[in-house]
Short mmCIF file of all heavy atoms in Angstrom, two decimals:
data_model
loop_
_atom_site.label_atom_id
_atom_site.label_comp_id
_atom_site.label_asym_id
_atom_site.label_seq_id
_atom_site.Cartn_x
_atom_site.Cartn_y
_atom_site.Cartn_z
N ARG A 56 -31.75 125.65 128.63
CA ARG A 56 -32.90 126.50 128.93
C ARG A 56 -32.48 127.96 128.86
O ARG A 56 -31.32 128.28 128.70
CB ARG A 56 -33.46 126.17 130.31
CG ARG A 56 -32.44 126.35 131.40
CD ARG A 56 -33.03 126.09 132.78
NE ARG A 56 -32.05 126.21 133.82
CZ ARG A 56 -31.52 127.34 134.25
NH1 ARG A 56 -31.88 128.48 133.72
NH2 ARG A 56 -30.63 127.37 135.21
N GLU A 57 -33.45 128.85 129.00
CA GLU A 57 -33.16 130.28 129.02
C GLU A 57 -32.34 130.63 130.26
O GLU A 57 -32.43 129.96 131.28
CB GLU A 57 -34.46 131.09 129.03
CG GLU A 57 -35.29 130.93 127.77
CD GLU A 57 -34.62 131.51 126.54
OE1 GLU A 57 -34.03 132.61 126.62
OE2 GLU A 57 -34.70 130.87 125.48
N HIS A 58 -31.57 131.67 130.17
CA HIS A 58 -30.69 132.10 131.25
C HIS A 58 -31.22 133.41 131.83
O HIS A 58 -31.55 134.32 131.07
CB HIS A 58 -29.28 132.33 130.73
CG HIS A 58 -28.80 131.27 129.79
ND1 HIS A 58 -28.47 130.01 130.20
CD2 HIS A 58 -28.63 131.28 128.45
CE1 HIS A 58 -28.09 129.29 129.17
NE2 HIS A 58 -28.19 130.03 128.08
N LEU A 63 -26.43 134.77 134.44
CA LEU A 63 -25.33 135.20 133.58
C LEU A 63 -24.30 136.00 134.36
O LEU A 63 -23.09 135.80 134.20
CB LEU A 63 -25.86 136.02 132.40
CG LEU A 63 -26.73 135.28 131.41
CD1 LEU A 63 -27.24 136.23 130.33
CD2 LEU A 63 -25.99 134.12 130.78
N LEU A 80 -21.75 132.34 125.20
CA LEU A 80 -23.05 131.95 125.74
C LEU A 80 -23.74 131.14 124.67
O LEU A 80 -23.96 131.62 123.56
CB LEU A 80 -23.89 133.19 126.09
CG LEU A 80 -25.34 132.93 126.44
CD1 LEU A 80 -25.45 132.09 127.70
CD2 LEU A 80 -26.08 134.25 126.62
N ASP A 81 -24.04 129.91 124.97
CA ASP A 81 -24.74 129.03 124.04
C ASP A 81 -26.24 129.30 124.15
O ASP A 81 -26.81 129.22 125.23
CB ASP A 81 -24.43 127.57 124.40
CG ASP A 81 -25.05 126.60 123.44
OD1 ASP A 81 -26.27 126.64 123.24
OD2 ASP A 81 -24.32 125.78 122.89
N VAL A 82 -26.85 129.64 123.04
CA VAL A 82 -28.29 129.93 123.02
C VAL A 82 -28.94 129.03 121.99
O VAL A 82 -28.58 129.05 120.82
CB VAL A 82 -28.54 131.41 122.65
CG1 VAL A 82 -30.03 131.68 122.56
CG2 VAL A 82 -27.88 132.34 123.64
N GLY A 83 -29.88 128.23 122.43
CA GLY A 83 -30.60 127.35 121.51
C GLY A 83 -31.58 128.15 120.66
O GLY A 83 -32.08 129.19 121.08
N ALA A 84 -31.82 127.66 119.46
CA ALA A 84 -32.76 128.33 118.57
C ALA A 84 -33.38 127.32 117.62
O ALA A 84 -32.81 126.27 117.37
CB ALA A 84 -32.06 129.42 117.76
N ASP A 85 -34.54 127.67 117.10
CA ASP A 85 -35.20 126.87 116.08
C ASP A 85 -35.51 127.79 114.90
O ASP A 85 -36.55 128.42 114.84
CB ASP A 85 -36.49 126.25 116.63
CG ASP A 85 -37.18 125.36 115.62
OD1 ASP A 85 -36.72 125.28 114.46
OD2 ASP A 85 -38.19 124.75 115.98
N LEU A 86 -34.55 127.87 113.97
CA LEU A 86 -34.72 128.76 112.83
C LEU A 86 -35.50 128.11 111.69
O LEU A 86 -35.82 128.79 110.71
CB LEU A 86 -33.36 129.25 112.35
CG LEU A 86 -32.58 130.08 113.38
CD1 LEU A 86 -31.20 130.43 112.85
CD2 LEU A 86 -33.35 131.33 113.77
N LEU A 87 -35.80 126.83 111.81
CA LEU A 87 -36.60 126.18 110.78
C LEU A 87 -38.08 126.45 110.98
O LEU A 87 -38.79 126.79 110.05
CB LEU A 87 -36.31 124.68 110.76
CG LEU A 87 -34.90 124.31 110.35
CD1 LEU A 87 -34.71 122.80 110.42
CD2 LEU A 87 -34.59 124.81 108.95
N SER A 88 -38.54 126.30 112.21
CA SER A 88 -39.97 126.53 112.44
C SER A 88 -40.21 127.71 113.38
O SER A 88 -41.36 128.06 113.63
CB SER A 88 -40.64 125.27 113.00
OG SER A 88 -40.05 124.90 114.23
N GLY A 89 -39.14 128.31 113.90
CA GLY A 89 -39.29 129.48 114.76
C GLY A 89 -40.11 129.20 116.00
O GLY A 89 -40.38 128.06 116.33
N CYS A 90 -40.50 130.23 116.67
CA CYS A 90 -41.36 130.11 117.85
C CYS A 90 -42.76 129.76 117.40
O CYS A 90 -43.56 130.65 117.09
CB CYS A 90 -41.38 131.42 118.62
SG CYS A 90 -39.95 131.72 119.63
N ASP A 93 -43.33 131.29 114.04
CA ASP A 93 -43.12 132.72 113.90
C ASP A 93 -41.61 133.00 113.88
O ASP A 93 -41.00 133.26 114.91
CB ASP A 93 -43.80 133.47 115.04
CG ASP A 93 -43.78 134.97 114.86
OD1 ASP A 93 -42.99 135.47 114.02
OD2 ASP A 93 -44.54 135.66 115.57
N LEU A 94 -41.01 132.93 112.70
CA LEU A 94 -39.57 133.10 112.56
C LEU A 94 -39.10 134.47 113.02
O LEU A 94 -38.07 134.60 113.68
CB LEU A 94 -39.13 132.86 111.12
CG LEU A 94 -37.64 132.98 110.84
CD1 LEU A 94 -36.85 131.99 111.69
CD2 LEU A 94 -37.35 132.77 109.37
N ASP A 95 -39.86 135.52 112.74
CA ASP A 95 -39.47 136.87 113.16
C ASP A 95 -39.37 136.95 114.69
O ASP A 95 -38.45 137.57 115.23
CB ASP A 95 -40.46 137.91 112.65
CG ASP A 95 -40.37 138.10 111.14
OD1 ASP A 95 -39.29 137.82 110.57
OD2 ASP A 95 -41.37 138.54 110.55
N ARG A 96 -40.32 136.32 115.37
CA ARG A 96 -40.29 136.32 116.83
C ARG A 96 -39.07 135.58 117.36
O ARG A 96 -38.42 136.01 118.31
CB ARG A 96 -41.58 135.70 117.38
CG ARG A 96 -41.75 135.91 118.86
CD ARG A 96 -43.14 135.51 119.31
NE ARG A 96 -42.96 134.46 120.29
CZ ARG A 96 -43.79 133.47 120.51
NH1 ARG A 96 -44.89 133.37 119.80
NH2 ARG A 96 -43.55 132.58 121.43
N GLU A 97 -38.72 134.47 116.72
CA GLU A 97 -37.55 133.70 117.14
C GLU A 97 -36.27 134.49 116.89
O GLU A 97 -35.37 134.51 117.74
CB GLU A 97 -37.50 132.36 116.39
CG GLU A 97 -36.36 131.47 116.79
CD GLU A 97 -36.45 130.84 118.17
OE1 GLU A 97 -37.27 131.28 119.00
OE2 GLU A 97 -35.67 129.93 118.44
N VAL A 98 -36.16 135.17 115.78
CA VAL A 98 -34.99 136.00 115.48
C VAL A 98 -34.88 137.14 116.49
O VAL A 98 -33.79 137.45 116.98
CB VAL A 98 -35.02 136.51 114.02
CG1 VAL A 98 -33.96 137.57 113.79
CG2 VAL A 98 -34.84 135.35 113.05
N ASP A 99 -36.00 137.77 116.83
CA ASP A 99 -35.99 138.83 117.84
C ASP A 99 -35.51 138.30 119.18
O ASP A 99 -34.75 138.97 119.89
CB ASP A 99 -37.38 139.46 117.98
CG ASP A 99 -37.75 140.34 116.81
OD1 ASP A 99 -36.85 140.74 116.03
OD2 ASP A 99 -38.96 140.60 116.64
N ARG A 100 -35.95 137.11 119.56
CA ARG A 100 -35.52 136.50 120.82
C ARG A 100 -34.01 136.27 120.80
O ARG A 100 -33.32 136.57 121.78
CB ARG A 100 -36.24 135.16 121.05
CG ARG A 100 -35.93 134.53 122.40
CD ARG A 100 -36.53 133.14 122.51
NE ARG A 100 -35.89 132.18 121.62
CZ ARG A 100 -34.71 131.61 121.86
NH1 ARG A 100 -34.04 131.87 122.96
NH2 ARG A 100 -34.20 130.74 121.01
N LEU A 101 -33.48 135.78 119.69
CA LEU A 101 -32.04 135.56 119.58
C LEU A 101 -31.27 136.87 119.68
O LEU A 101 -30.21 136.93 120.31
CB LEU A 101 -31.71 134.86 118.27
CG LEU A 101 -32.14 133.39 118.20
CD1 LEU A 101 -31.92 132.84 116.81
CD2 LEU A 101 -31.39 132.58 119.23
N LYS A 102 -31.78 137.91 119.07
CA LYS A 102 -31.12 139.22 119.17
C LYS A 102 -31.06 139.69 120.60
O LYS A 102 -30.05 140.26 121.03
CB LYS A 102 -31.85 140.23 118.28
CG LYS A 102 -31.63 140.03 116.79
CD LYS A 102 -32.43 141.05 116.01
CE LYS A 102 -32.27 140.85 114.52
NZ LYS A 102 -33.07 141.81 113.75
N ARG A 103 -32.14 139.48 121.35
CA ARG A 103 -32.14 139.86 122.76
C ARG A 103 -31.10 139.07 123.54
O ARG A 103 -30.40 139.62 124.39
CB ARG A 103 -33.53 139.66 123.38
CG ARG A 103 -34.55 140.71 122.97
CD ARG A 103 -35.83 140.64 123.79
NE ARG A 103 -36.46 139.34 123.80
CZ ARG A 103 -37.29 138.86 122.89
NH1 ARG A 103 -37.59 139.61 121.84
NH2 ARG A 103 -37.83 137.67 123.00
N GLU A 104 -30.98 137.78 123.24
CA GLU A 104 -29.99 136.94 123.92
C GLU A 104 -28.57 137.41 123.58
O GLU A 104 -27.68 137.42 124.45
CB GLU A 104 -30.16 135.47 123.55
CG GLU A 104 -31.37 134.82 124.17
CD GLU A 104 -31.30 134.78 125.70
OE1 GLU A 104 -30.28 134.34 126.25
OE2 GLU A 104 -32.29 135.20 126.33
N ILE A 105 -28.33 137.78 122.35
CA ILE A 105 -27.00 138.28 121.95
C ILE A 105 -26.69 139.56 122.72
O ILE A 105 -25.58 139.73 123.24
CB ILE A 105 -26.95 138.51 120.43
CG1 ILE A 105 -26.96 137.16 119.72
CG2 ILE A 105 -25.72 139.33 120.05
CD1 ILE A 105 -27.20 137.24 118.23
N ASP A 106 -27.65 140.46 122.83
CA ASP A 106 -27.44 141.70 123.58
C ASP A 106 -27.11 141.40 125.04
O ASP A 106 -26.25 142.04 125.65
CB ASP A 106 -28.65 142.61 123.49
CG ASP A 106 -28.84 143.22 122.12
OD1 ASP A 106 -27.86 143.26 121.34
OD2 ASP A 106 -29.98 143.66 121.82
N ARG A 107 -27.79 140.43 125.63
CA ARG A 107 -27.55 140.07 127.03
C ARG A 107 -26.18 139.46 127.21
O ARG A 107 -25.51 139.69 128.22
CB ARG A 107 -28.63 139.11 127.51
CG ARG A 107 -29.98 139.78 127.63
CD ARG A 107 -31.06 138.82 128.04
NE ARG A 107 -30.70 138.16 129.28
CZ ARG A 107 -31.01 136.90 129.56
NH1 ARG A 107 -31.69 136.18 128.70
NH2 ARG A 107 -30.67 136.37 130.69
N ALA A 108 -25.73 138.69 126.23
CA ALA A 108 -24.41 138.04 126.33
C ALA A 108 -23.34 139.09 126.35
O ALA A 108 -22.37 139.01 127.07
CB ALA A 108 -24.21 137.08 125.17
#
Side-chain angles (χ1 to χ4, degrees):
R56 59 177 178 73
E57 295 293 318
H58 317 288
L63 294 177
L80 170 63
D81 183 304
V82 177
D85 182 356
L86 298 176
L87 295 178
S88 60
C90 282
D93 188 344
L94 181 59
D95 290 335
R96 192 170 120 211
E97 182 71 345
V98 169
D99 287 342
R100 185 187 68 78
L101 289 173
K102 288 178 182 178
R103 285 191 306 276
E104 288 297 310
I105 289 168
D106 289 340
R107 290 177 56 214

